[in-house]
Amino acid sequence: MTDQSLTGLTLVDALAGLRARNFSARELTEAHLAAIADANPHLNAFVHVTADKAIAAADVSDGRLARGSEEEVRALEGAPLGIKDLFCTEGVPATACSKILGNFTPPYESGVTEKLFAAGAIHLGKLNMDEFAMGSSNETSAFGPVTSPWRRNGSNAPMVPGGSSGGSAAAVAAELCLAATATDTGGSIRQPAAFTGTVGIKPTYGRCSRWGIVAFASSLDQAGPITRTVADSALMLRVMAGHDPRDSTSLAVETPNFEAACHASLKGLTVGVPKEYRVDGMPKAIEDLWERGIAWLRDAGAKIRTVSLPHTKYALPCYYIVAPAEASSNLARFDGMRYGARVEGRDLTDTYEKSRGAGFGAEVQRRILIGTYVLSAGYYDAFYLRAQRVRRRISDDFTHVFREVDCLLTPTCPSATFELGGKSVDPIEMYLNDVFTVTANLAGLPAISVPAALDANGLPLGLQIIGRALDEESCFTAAAAIEKAAAFNAKPGSWFRGPRS
Ligand code: GLN
């Protein structure tokens, strides 16, 4: 078998191949490490590769696979994964791709990665991301931008992978890992998934533990997987989910069998189409794809209904108050005193100011300034409190429509990927890319993006399914139907596989 025939496998097929002893965990891991070595100089998807750790874990997996008993072979035995740099990983640097964390190496493992590694997953390394997960293009990382493996037809212009989980999406799309962890505060799993032709699910708030994930906006942050198929997504989420007493917002609920939901029938499922998601200036290709998505779900047996979410237009301004407010509070702990970067000043205040001025990048500083402003005396009521009220209205809109429909179908994003540098000059233009994704975070709902087509430039487009709280299963059922009908099997080409020209 050539290397690419190993790295190109789906997670589900790779696990089956390992169990059948068609190849070893070591071969699979080495194939991925070789793919990373080739591609990373082009893509910059990994910021830290844990090759020795990966090989050692692969050997352990091979031992378990050789013994082969039910207890020995765990759910993800021998599966090489990439981990977003926002997750604390014991003994491996976790920097949130910010200078302020320096080379911080956590002495503990995050709740989610702990579950993945306990299930036999192999840690290939840490994935690039927007600094503190703030961004939609992965251009704000202290380690430099990630380049998407996708290019426009007939062009070599570098494109963004989306953000903030751009490293995760690029690595999965470029076949540098079988699957990756990601996080989503306003769209950071789903938007990069849509931009790279991969599958990304943000589960219900509280489904996955936030313990050991560097906090951005604590009431919005959720972890989830980026994968190449819906079935892989279901398997990854099943392992990542589950109650964690160390996170007070983690839900003490059973994790359903998400894989079974991928095979469930759509008969009896009513899918809502929210009319407010038709925004001005949306490319026709996205409108058309949405229509095709409706037809696919109808053909698969679902009932379709037009619904209204009247407060949608306030979601983006609401998000860009709530998220920076929480961020300004969460990021107050990074002061150069206990760990990370420190710039000595004249006195304590000067040291704080110099450390934070040098350690945080421009976008993070912008968020801290916005957040501090909307929380300050005199502005708190006008901005923060009002945004909280709007958030409730947005959430109530969903409660109303979910009395009539089981899930909602929308485009994931109002555009396909754009060129590196194309939007980074205007923060508002960048923020507008989150228009369809932030609503699910504000309401705490599960939402999945599934690749559905290429646009006229040969760039991937995604459709989004939003479900009721704790009903990821309907998301998986509808997403699997779209995946089947769309038969999306486009790959990003192979320009990043050779030596750097
Ligand atoms: N793009 C959004 C932001 O910049 C969402 C980021 C995220 O989900 N982490 O805030």
Side-chain angles (χ1 to χ4, degrees):
M1 253 192 190
T2 65
D3 279 2
Q4 232 171 292
S5 66
L6 289 180
T7 56
L9 293 170
T10 68
L11 173 63
V12 168
D13 288 347
L15 290 168
L18 286 166
R19 283 176 195 153
R21 311 299 287 142
N22 294 342
F23 45 83
S24 67
R26 190 169 183 140
E27 285 167 325
L28 186 63
T29 302
E30 281 173 345
H32 281 95
L33 290 170
I36 295 169
D38 275 354
N40 216 43
H42 301 278
L43 304 180
N44 198 26
F46 278 85
V47 294
H48 192 91
V49 179
T50 48
D52 294 346
K53 218 178 156 78
I55 298 286
D59 288 345
V60 171
S61 285
D62 279 328
R64 284 176 169 259
L65 286 157
R67 291 189 292 276
S69 70
E70 286 272 312
E71 311 82 76
E72 292 269 8
V73 181
R74 301 164 290 176
L76 295 176
E77 196 68 64
L81 305 183
I83 305 296
K84 187 178 182 179
D85 203 34
L86 205 61
F87 290 78
C88 284
T89 38
E90 189 179 352
V92 176
T95 70
C97 290
S98 178
K99 279 199 225 139
I100 201 131
L101 274 140
N103 54 4
F104 173 62
T105 303
Y108 61 95
E109 195 67 47
S110 81
V112 162
T113 48
E114 196 177 70
K115 283 184 193 291
L116 289 168
F117 300 141
I122 288 168
H123 186 182
L124 289 171
K126 300 304 283 288
L127 292 161
N128 206 342
M129 53 179 278
D130 278 303
E131 184 179 3
F132 282 106
M134 297 173 188
S136 306
S137 62
N138 211 135
E139 292 171 287
T140 71
S141 166
F143 295 95
V146 176
T147 303
S148 174
W150 290 87
R151 284 175 165 177
R152 223 186 260 123
N153 287 339
S155 163
N156 288 340
M159 311 299 287
V160 303
S164 65
S165 311
S168 306
V172 171
E175 301 177 349
L176 310 186
C177 53
L178 291 177
T181 67
T183 61
D184 190 311
T185 303
S188 280
I189 293 176
R190 292 160 286 156
Q191 185 254 19
F195 277 19
T196 57
T198 55
V199 177
I201 184 163
K202 179 202 89 71
T204 307
Y205 183 77
R207 178 70 88 181
C208 288
S209 170
R210 289 184 300 109
W211 195 79
I213 301 175
V214 177
F216 164 7
S218 306
S219 76
L220 303 162
D221 298 344
Q222 261 300 291
I226 292 183
T227 59
R228 290 194 288 268
T229 68
V230 175
D232 287 358
S233 181
L235 169 58
M236 280 288 286
L237 185 61
R238 176 165 62 78
V239 177
M240 291 165 73
H243 182 235
D244 184 347
R246 297 166 298 185
D247 167 7
S248 62
T249 61
S250 161
L251 297 170
V253 291
E254 287 290 305
T255 303
N257 185 341
F258 297 134
E259 290 115 301
C262 300
H263 304 289
S265 158
L266 267 73
K267 299 236 161 58
L269 201 77
T270 307
V271 180
V273 178
K275 58 177 190 232
E276 289 80 5
Y277 281 54
R278 282 176 209 281
V279 296
D280 288 346
M282 190 158 81
K284 181 146 185 331
I286 294 182
E287 286 269 357
D288 292 349
L289 179 62
W290 197 8
E291 289 304 324
R292 247 179 296 156
I294 293 169
W296 287 331
L297 293 179
R298 187 183 288 126
D299 291 348
K303 282 204 201 65
I304 308 289
R305 270 180 98 132
T306 301
V307 295
S308 173
L309 298 166
H311 296 91
T312 299
K313 57 179 175 293
Y314 304 116
L316 209 53
C318 173
Y319 170 84
Y320 276 98
I321 291 173
V322 174
E326 294 186 20
S328 71
S329 158
N330 275 325
L331 270 54
R333 76 191 66 167
F334 302 106
D335 56 9
M337 291 299 127
R338 282 156 299 220
Y339 49 82
R342 174 186 185 127
V343 181
E344 292 301 336
R346 285 186 310 280
D347 51 29
L348 185 61
T349 305
D350 198 39
T351 302
Y352 282 153
E353 286 175 1
K354 287 206 163 78
S355 299
R356 286 168 67 82
F360 291 132
E363 182 59 31
V364 175
Q365 292 192 21
R366 182 179 296 122
R367 304 289 178 109
I368 293 173
L369 289 171
I370 296 171
T372 307
Y373 181 80
V374 300
L375 289 174
S376 59
Y379 296 103
Y380 183 90
D381 289 3
F383 292 104
Y384 185 69
L385 213 58
R386 189 175 289 178
Q388 294 289 52
R389 293 204 183 105
V390 171
R391 182 177 185 177
R392 162 58 61 159
R393 295 288 174 95
I394 290 166
S395 177
D396 289 347
D397 279 357
F398 282 107
T399 308
H400 287 134
V401 302
F402 282 136
R403 291 194 189 122
E404 294 175 25
V405 301
D406 300 298
C407 59
L408 298 162
L409 174 72
T410 79
T412 309
C413 302
S415 76
T417 173
F418 43 86
E419 275 182 37
L420 261 163
K423 284 192 204 287
S424 45
V425 279
D426 180 0
I428 304 283
E429 206 185 318
M430 190 73 83
Y431 297 171
L432 286 173
N433 217 260
D434 304 331
V435 63
F436 299 144
T437 49
V438 296
T439 50
N441 301 77
L442 289 166
L445 304 172
I448 189 168
S449 176
V450 56
L454 295 181
D455 71 4
N457 295 315
L459 297 171
L461 298 172
L463 287 172
Q464 172 177 243
I465 305 284
I466 306 174
R468 292 188 181 101
L470 291 176
D471 186 20
E472 286 83 359
E473 287 163 284
S474 293
C475 297
F476 281 123
T477 302
I482 291 173
E483 179 180 59
K484 193 165 165 215
F488 180 93
N489 55 13
K491 298 221 175 189
S494 58
W495 61 270
F496 52 86
R497 291 205 166 98
R500 217 185 150 133
S501 51

